[in-house]
Amino acid sequence: MNKTKFAKLAASMVLAAALCAMVALTGCMPKAEQQPDAASLHRAYMSNVNSICAQAAEDLDGFSDAAASGDLAAMRVAANTACATLNRIGDLEVPEDLAEVHGEYLKGAQELAQSLQDYVALYGRFVNETYDSEEDRAAAEQEFQAGLADIQALYDSGLGHLSTADSMVAELGNADTASE
């Protein structure tokens, strides 16, 4: 009987030692969770971009409301808030293979932010201006419209960069799907 108990004890000790060795070796091996795959990195990056864009859209609603009411102070606050949100794109951690896409998102965000700041500055210059004559007023109106056209072109360019980035992401997604 003692031999049976001894054999069971020895077998248990061998099994325990084997389990300890497996645990020790497993702890040294790289885990899939520690090394995210490219798809996970892409999803995380795009999730962050989408979150920033959604917040910027909300911020721009506030800007539009302020602009519609002609409230320069509220426009400044809303523009600054939207610009701060858009600037967060530059702070994102970018997967190496999305560097070109990120460049487009960043350029678009910068141009949108600049167009908001330019609009507030332009509007601020002309909103409280008084004119000595109708000719002065007409000249100021032409200057305002020219400035507005430049701002609209910059805004449209920013949207174009964002659209280009979205297209690039879609192409990458299609390429990934085709390779599976």
Side-chain angles (χ1 to χ4, degrees):
M1 283 290 222
N2 286 339
K3 285 186 177 182
T4 308
K5 286 183 182 179
F6 182 78
K8 286 182 182 179
L9 182 58
S12 297
M13 292 179 70
V14 169
L15 181 59
L19 288 174
C20 286
M22 284 178 34
V23 169
L25 288 175
T26 305
C28 295
M29 295 174 62
K31 295 181 181 175
E33 296 84 50
Q34 293 173 340
Q35 299 295 327
D37 62 354
S40 296
L41 293 173
H42 290 180
R43 282 190 298 274
Y45 172 77
M46 289 309 302
S47 176
N48 288 331
V49 168
N50 290 335
S51 175
I52 290 168
C53 288
Q55 182 60 53
E58 287 181 29
D59 297 342
L60 289 173
D61 285 343
F63 179 82
S64 295
D65 292 344
S69 67
D71 185 343
L72 181 59
M75 274 192 271
R76 275 195 184 104
V77 169
N80 289 340
T81 301
C83 289
T85 299
L86 289 166
N87 288 336
R88 289 183 13 223
I89 287 180
D91 298 334
L92 293 178
E93 188 173 322
V94 183
E96 191 174 311
D97 56 338
L98 292 181
E100 190 175 347
V101 170
H102 180 71
E104 287 295 320
Y105 280 128
L106 187 58
K107 183 74 171 166
Q110 290 169 338
E111 288 183 356
L112 289 176
Q114 187 61 54
S115 69
L116 289 171
Q117 295 295 338
D118 290 353
Y119 182 81
V120 170
L122 178 71
Y123 185 80
R125 276 199 314 269
F126 291 99
V127 70
N128 294 322
E129 190 68 33
T130 55
Y131 304 100
D132 294 331
S133 68
E134 281 300 312
E135 288 175 351
D136 289 346
R137 182 169 187 64
E141 179 66 28
Q142 284 181 335
E143 185 181 341
F144 181 80
Q145 292 302 323
L148 197 56
D150 291 342
I151 292 166
Q152 185 66 51
L154 183 61
Y155 183 83
D156 291 343
S157 176
L159 290 179
H161 284 289
L162 296 178
S163 179
T164 297
D166 288 343
S167 295
M168 293 167 75
V169 168
E171 288 175 23
L172 287 171
N174 290 338
D176 288 344
T177 303
S179 67
E180 291 178 356

